[in-house]
Amino acid sequence: MNIIQTEIADILVIEPHVFKDDRGFFYESYNERVFLEKVDITEHFVQDNHSYSTKNVLRGLHYQIQQPQGKLIRVVSGAVFDVAVDLRKSSSTFGQWIGTNLTAENKRQLWIPTGFAHGFLVLSAYAEVLYKTTNYYAPQHERTILWNDPNLAIAWPIQTKPILSAKDQIAKLLPDAEVFA
């Protein structure tokens, strides 16, 4: 497994060791012992999520202000541009974001600890995204920051208007959002 540090120290890109031959491939997408030793992820995962989205669907930027979730994200079909935004007010990287391409081909995973908003844009005809979470979904605590908030200036790789859910269309700007201490 190869661990790639990002500009925000707590966000990691994880490249698994993939065994390939003429039959296909195999890799361990998660092994608690290896993640403890190599990645130092000590959180316990309690929920797995699976989403299917079509091209230009943008989901996010989501987070839970209480019962916050760390997320381990990967794509099993298609490609997405995945984004994490630091919402920890006390952090030196507050309001900064990391974006990376996660694809079925590169098999990379993104580790986003608690204290971050998360979103992704589908780049392929469709994409299936799997992610493990460290806390249960709590809709009463879910918050959303506007995907194109000028305070964040995320460089989404899109030329047209994205396809958004109703809740993502009415999301808040960072200065008006609840954030973490």
Side-chain angles (χ1 to χ4, degrees):
M1 167 182 314
N2 185 29
I3 310 303
I4 302 167
Q5 297 291 324
T6 67
E7 292 83 10
I8 299 177
D10 297 326
I11 304 291
L12 302 173
V13 175
I14 301 163
E15 291 180 330
H17 183 76
V18 180
F19 301 91
K20 293 181 184 180
D21 63 24
D22 58 348
R23 300 168 298 153
F25 69 85
F26 170 85
Y27 72 96
E28 288 183 345
S29 61
Y30 180 74
N31 178 314
E32 185 176 48
R33 183 177 29 225
V34 172
F35 271 68
L36 281 169
E37 292 171 6
K38 294 198 173 223
V39 190
D40 195 31
I41 294 177
T42 58
E43 288 87 347
H44 179 72
F45 293 103
V46 299
Q47 183 174 317
D48 283 357
N49 298 326
H50 187 154
S51 75
Y52 172 93
S53 305
T54 57
K55 186 174 180 74
N56 292 330
V57 165
L58 194 150
R59 297 183 183 268
L61 300 160
H62 303 146
Y63 63 104
Q64 290 181 184
I65 198 67
Q66 292 180 38
Q67 292 179 237
Q69 297 177 309
K71 296 177 180 179
L72 181 62
I73 301 144
R74 66 189 174 108
V75 171
V76 295
S77 182
V80 304
F81 180 68
D82 207 281
V83 172
V85 178
D86 191 346
L87 297 182
R88 302 168 299 169
K89 192 75 170 171
S90 61
S91 170
S92 64
T93 56
F94 174 75
Q96 294 180 26
W97 60 275
I98 294 293
T100 191
N101 289 327
L102 300 179
T103 71
E105 289 74 34
N106 71 21
K107 295 174 185 40
R108 287 182 165 185
Q109 297 180 73
L110 187 64
W111 166 242
I112 304 173
T114 60
F116 289 79
H118 171 246
F120 64 85
L121 170 69
V122 178
L123 304 174
S124 51
Y126 67 91
E128 291 189 61
V129 178
L130 301 179
Y131 57 102
K132 302 178 104 37
T133 65
T134 60
N135 214 330
Y136 297 103
Y137 176 60
Q140 70 276 23
H141 301 304
E142 186 176 36
R143 303 292 185 267
T144 306
I145 293 178
L146 194 62
W147 70 278
N148 61 350
D149 183 335
N151 300 287
L152 301 174
I154 297 172
W156 296 100
I158 189 166
Q159 310 304 317
T160 63
K161 188 174 180 180
I163 302 165
L164 303 171
S165 70
K167 77 174 176 182
D168 291 350
Q169 291 177 32
I170 60 168
K172 292 186 175 191
L173 297 175
L174 181 60
D176 302 321
E178 288 181 79
V179 296
F180 300 94

